[in-house]
């Protein structure tokens, strides 16, 4: 912290950017840990895991799915894939919040410069930056959460094991053009669902930071001392709810594409094929599978993340 607590750090300085990133990374890890069991169940629903489809579609089903995981795998089962989550979330959240602060300062140096379009643009650009940096870790995390059967080698998948499985999962003899691409460029397998993620990130991050900036400007005076943790929690929760609703179909498509290496290891599942498969299976509601559970997860997660980020920024005198 600076010697003079009443003086904010220079927003253009490197140490300010790094501290903002550290605050964002810590905030993201805390928020993800709070909702990790819900995230595990939601991924199983979204990716249409055959062992858990009978539970999807209701709050009671989500509770029963959690009970099943706990009875078979214990508390560690509810946090399966969480180690990969934390490895991804710290740089993901750190880059996102650091980029948002920097882009926000460039586009909107004062509150008088703020517009809803610029708020949306700042959030969307920061979200895209974070995804590009950390996407392979996200794919590994989803694969770990999707796994529900024990193997002879280990009772639960490891992060390194998930990475190794992704790298080696395509057929050794190409059976399609996409498989041939995997053989030639194996690292592309870590980017299954990347296009859906990019498209979905624009409305999610953009809307989240749009709501965050708009609600803070509307209900919190410019004096930062009045921005209480409770206000940050409430505004963060509302922002997460609106953002989740606007981008959820893209998230379902992305999950199905990310686990495509398990269901169809020899080929790349594209947008059209994935959307058609979802629609034929469950119709339009199929694009919103797990949304109610998503609300239960995303509202506290976003609230905790944004409030913790703001609290740490105050601590760091940013």
């Amino acid at each position: 912290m600076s010697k003079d607590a009443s003086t904010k750090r220079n927003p253009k300085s490197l140490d300010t950017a790094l501290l903002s990133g550290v605050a964002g990374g810590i905030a993201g890890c805390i928020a993800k840990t709070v909702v990790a069991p819900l995230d595990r169940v939601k991924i199983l629903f979204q990716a249409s895991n055959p062992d858990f489809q009978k539970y999807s579609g209701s709050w009671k089903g989500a509770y029963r799915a959690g009970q099943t995981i706990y009875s078979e795998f214990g508390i560690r089962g509810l946090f399966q894939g969480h180690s990969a989550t934390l490895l991804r979330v710290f740089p993901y959240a750190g880059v996102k919040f650091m980029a948002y602060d920097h882009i926000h300062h460039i586009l909107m140096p004062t509150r008088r410069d703020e517009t809803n379009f610029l708020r949306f643009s700042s959030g969307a650009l920061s979200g895209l930056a974070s995804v590009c940096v950390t996407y392979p870790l996200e794919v590994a995390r989803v694969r770990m959460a999707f796994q529900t059967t024990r193997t002879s080698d280990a009772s639960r998948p490891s992060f390194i094991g998930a990475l190794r499985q992704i790298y080696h999962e395509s057929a050794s003899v190409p059976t399609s053009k996409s498989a041939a691409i995997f053989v030639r460029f194996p690292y592309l397998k870590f980017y299954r669902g990347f296009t859906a993620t990019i498209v979905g990130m624009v409305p999610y991050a953009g809307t989240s930071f749009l709501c965050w900036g708009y609600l803070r400007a509307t209900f919190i005076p410019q004096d930062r001392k009045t921005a209480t943790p409770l206000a940050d929690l409430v505004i963060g929760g509302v922002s997460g709810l609106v953002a989740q609703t606007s981008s959820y179909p893209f998230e379902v498509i992305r999950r199905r594409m990310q686990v495509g290496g398990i269901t169809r290891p020899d080929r790349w599942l594209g947008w059209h094929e994935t959307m058609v498969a979802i629609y034929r299976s469950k119709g339009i509601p199929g694009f919103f599978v797990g949304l109610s559970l998503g609300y239960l997860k995303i509202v506290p997660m976003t609230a905790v993340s944004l409030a913790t980020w703001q609290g740490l920024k105050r601590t760091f005198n940013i």
Side-chain angles (χ1 to χ4, degrees):
M1 293 180 60
S2 62
K3 293 180 180 181
D4 183 2
S6 65
T7 303
K8 289 186 179 181
R9 295 176 181 273
N10 181 355
K12 296 181 180 180
S13 66
L14 178 61
D15 66 325
T16 298
L18 293 177
L19 284 174
S20 178
V22 170
I26 294 173
C29 289
I30 293 174
K32 273 292 189 179
T33 301
V34 169
V35 300
L38 292 172
D39 203 27
R40 174 87 202 280
V41 173
K42 185 166 77 79
I43 288 175
L44 292 172
F45 287 176
Q46 287 179 329
S48 296
N49 184 287
D51 297 328
F52 286 83
Q53 279 306 288
K54 58 186 176 182
Y55 299 124
S56 65
S58 68
W59 294 84
K60 183 179 180 180
Y63 176 74
R64 291 179 61 193
Q67 279 188 318
T68 300
I69 294 171
Y70 179 78
S71 63
E72 293 185 7
F73 301 97
I75 190 67
R76 296 180 68 184
L78 293 172
F79 286 86
Q80 185 167 298
H82 190 56
S83 59
T85 296
L86 295 181
L87 286 173
R88 179 193 70 92
V89 164
F90 186 85
Y92 170 83
V95 171
K96 181 177 71 174
F97 286 121
M98 180 173 62
Y100 177 76
D101 268 344
H102 188 67
I103 295 170
H104 184 282
H105 179 71
I106 293 174
L107 299 181
M108 300 171 285
T110 68
R111 272 200 173 184
R112 289 178 297 179
D113 299 313
E114 291 187 7
T115 66
N116 288 334
F117 175 76
L118 291 178
R119 291 177 181 129
F120 181 91
S121 299
S122 298
L125 290 172
S126 63
L128 291 176
S130 60
V131 166
C132 290
V133 172
T134 62
Y135 191 76
L137 299 176
E138 163 70 0
V139 175
R141 192 270 297 204
V142 171
R143 292 297 184 84
M144 291 177 69
F146 183 80
Q147 181 71 39
T148 57
T149 58
R150 298 179 184 271
T151 66
S152 58
D153 296 327
S155 61
R156 56 198 300 269
S158 67
F159 178 65
I160 299 300
L163 293 175
R164 193 175 289 122
Q165 178 192 24
I166 294 169
Y167 186 83
H168 294 290
E169 69 190 1
S170 65
S172 58
V173 179
T175 58
S176 65
K177 290 183 178 180
S178 59
I181 293 175
F182 286 154
V183 171
R184 186 173 182 181
F185 304 104
Y187 291 103
L188 286 179
K189 287 176 283 188
F190 293 98
Y191 284 86
R192 290 181 183 270
F194 184 69
T195 54
T197 301
I198 289 295
V199 174
M201 180 54 66
V202 171
Y204 178 78
T207 303
S208 179
F209 280 109
L210 164 62
C211 292
W212 170 257
Y214 175 79
L215 293 175
R216 282 177 63 85
T218 302
F219 295 106
I220 298 178
Q222 195 164 1
D223 179 4
R224 71 187 180 102
K225 294 180 180 179
T226 62
T228 63
L230 178 60
D232 287 337
L233 281 169
V234 173
I235 292 175
V238 173
S239 300
L241 188 147
V242 175
Q244 178 80 342
T245 303
S246 67
S247 63
Y248 196 78
F250 296 106
E251 186 175 347
V252 175
I253 295 170
R254 171 169 60 105
R255 297 301 191 203
R256 291 288 290 270
M257 293 173 72
Q258 286 174 334
V259 300
I262 297 176
T263 58
R264 298 298 302 269
D266 62 327
R267 51 196 301 267
W268 183 286
L269 295 179
W271 269 72
H272 181 264
E273 184 178 3
T274 303
M275 292 173 65
V276 169
I278 295 172
Y279 183 78
R280 286 178 176 173
S281 175
K282 296 188 177 180
I284 295 297
F287 293 96
F288 294 91
V289 170
L291 179 57
S292 58
L293 187 62
Y295 286 143
L296 185 62
K297 183 198 100 169
I298 207 69
V299 171
M301 187 186 76
T302 309
V304 170
S305 178
L306 289 170
T308 303
W309 174 53
Q310 285 297 303
L312 290 173
K313 284 178 66 178
R314 295 187 192 105
T315 301
F316 295 153
N317 202 31
I318 303 176

